[in-house]
Amino acid sequence: AGAETVKRAVELDVASRFQESLVCYQEGIDLLLQVVKATKDEAKKHRYRQKISELSFFSDGKYHQQIRIEENATGFGYEKLFHEYLNEIVSEVWVEDPYIRQLYNFLRFCEMLVKGPCKVKTIHLLTSYDEGSGRSQQMSGLEEIRQSLSNYGVTLNIDFSSSIHDREIRFNNGWMIKIGRGLDYFKKPQGRFSIGYCDFDLRPCHETTVDVFHTKHTKKM
């Protein structure tokens, strides 16, 4: 399986489909790491480690793509924006955003992770406290999301920081997405029964940029 995945990665690389090739390279590395752990033959371990080192060169974090979302643009729901970076390898997610205030947006993001195809087990949220009277609503809402996620076997770890400024989302398959406005890039719907209220693909957006990176995220052997 590892050999087939690496072969596919090379084919995509040659075709200049770098984003897909990086995913395959990472999958190939993870499959080979499993073989290294399972085999007791030191010579085979050495050969596999050499191959992993070679593959790591190709998935070395030099990929960068920028997506610009125009004012009032539609078609940028979370599933559309993130689906290319979520595969079965993804089991852990980090969300750093100082302004998680629209809790329904964060909830929709969590729903996307639960639906798959990834097998997310842990979500780490780092945000800041809402100031004033909104803090109690923020705390109760996040706790309700945490409890609900636990029903699906997902652990939500919540931490707060008064000095956090950056907004980024990281997946343990090496992809990192930075959105200028964080998860709250959608405009408020015109009404509860207006198009786009339920389907975020139809919801107009604020202007923002989305920067996608791939970082070397390979465990030590």
Side-chain angles (χ1 to χ4, degrees):
E4 287 299 318
T5 302
V6 171
K7 181 181 177 181
R8 178 60 176 160
V10 173
E11 291 172 351
L12 291 167
D13 209 343
V14 171
S16 297
R17 293 165 64 180
F18 303 118
Q19 184 171 306
E20 296 169 81
S21 71
L22 278 173
V23 173
C24 285
Y25 278 128
Q26 188 62 50
E27 288 179 353
I29 290 171
D30 287 345
L31 288 169
L32 288 174
L33 280 171
Q34 293 176 27
V35 174
V36 169
K37 291 178 181 178
T39 186
K40 296 181 179 179
D41 187 320
E42 289 300 323
K44 287 185 178 180
K45 278 190 175 183
H46 178 69
R47 289 199 299 272
Y48 285 132
R49 283 170 176 161
Q50 283 185 321
K51 178 56 69 175
I52 290 170
S53 179
E54 293 171 8
L55 292 175
S56 295
F57 174 80
F58 292 101
S59 61
D60 203 20
K62 296 181 180 179
Y63 177 91
H64 174 221
Q65 178 189 14
Q66 185 174 82
I67 303 166
R68 186 174 185 86
I69 300 177
E70 302 291 344
E71 184 77 5
N72 291 318
T74 58
F76 290 96
Y78 295 144
E79 286 84 357
K80 292 287 183 67
L81 192 63
F82 292 105
H83 81 279
E84 293 184 53
Y85 317 109
L86 294 172
N87 52 31
E88 292 185 356
I89 294 175
V90 177
S91 60
E92 198 165 6
V93 178
W94 292 262
V95 178
E96 295 186 9
D97 191 329
Y99 299 109
I100 296 292
R101 302 293 184 264
Q102 301 294 328
L103 294 184
Y104 279 114
N105 289 354
F106 180 65
L107 176 60
R108 290 295 293 271
F109 177 77
C110 292
E111 288 176 339
M112 174 196 68
L113 296 176
V114 169
K115 286 166 62 178
C118 51
K119 309 297 182 184
V120 172
K121 295 298 181 184
T122 309
I123 302 171
H124 305 274
L125 172 63
L126 179 62
T127 188
S128 63
Y129 285 112
D130 195 354
E131 297 179 359
S133 59
R135 179 177 296 194
S136 61
Q137 183 177 354
Q138 177 194 29
M139 296 298 292
S140 62
L142 286 174
E143 176 60 23
E144 189 172 343
I145 294 174
R146 189 183 70 80
Q147 292 286 350
S148 183
L149 282 169
S150 68
N151 295 331
Y152 290 86
V154 180
T155 299
L156 174 61
N157 297 321
I158 306 170
D159 290 301
F160 295 92
S161 170
S162 59
S163 58
I164 180 177
H165 295 290
D166 293 337
R167 297 175 173 91
E168 66 180 43
I169 296 168
R170 302 192 308 276
F171 305 128
N172 68 315
N173 61 353
W175 290 106
M176 177 171 65
I177 295 92
K178 294 190 175 186
I179 308 174
R181 287 180 171 270
L183 291 173
D184 297 339
Y185 58 88
F186 297 104
K187 291 190 171 184
K188 291 183 178 180
Q190 295 181 348
R192 292 176 58 194
F193 300 101
S194 60
I195 296 296
Y197 184 87
C198 298
D199 190 337
F200 276 25
D201 281 337
L202 300 172
R203 181 83 67 88
C205 299
H206 292 287
E207 181 179 350
T208 192
T209 55
V210 181
D211 287 283
V212 181
F213 303 89
H214 192 278
T215 58
K216 189 175 180 180
H217 201 94
T218 304
K219 295 178 181 178
K220 298 294 182 181
M221 293 171 284

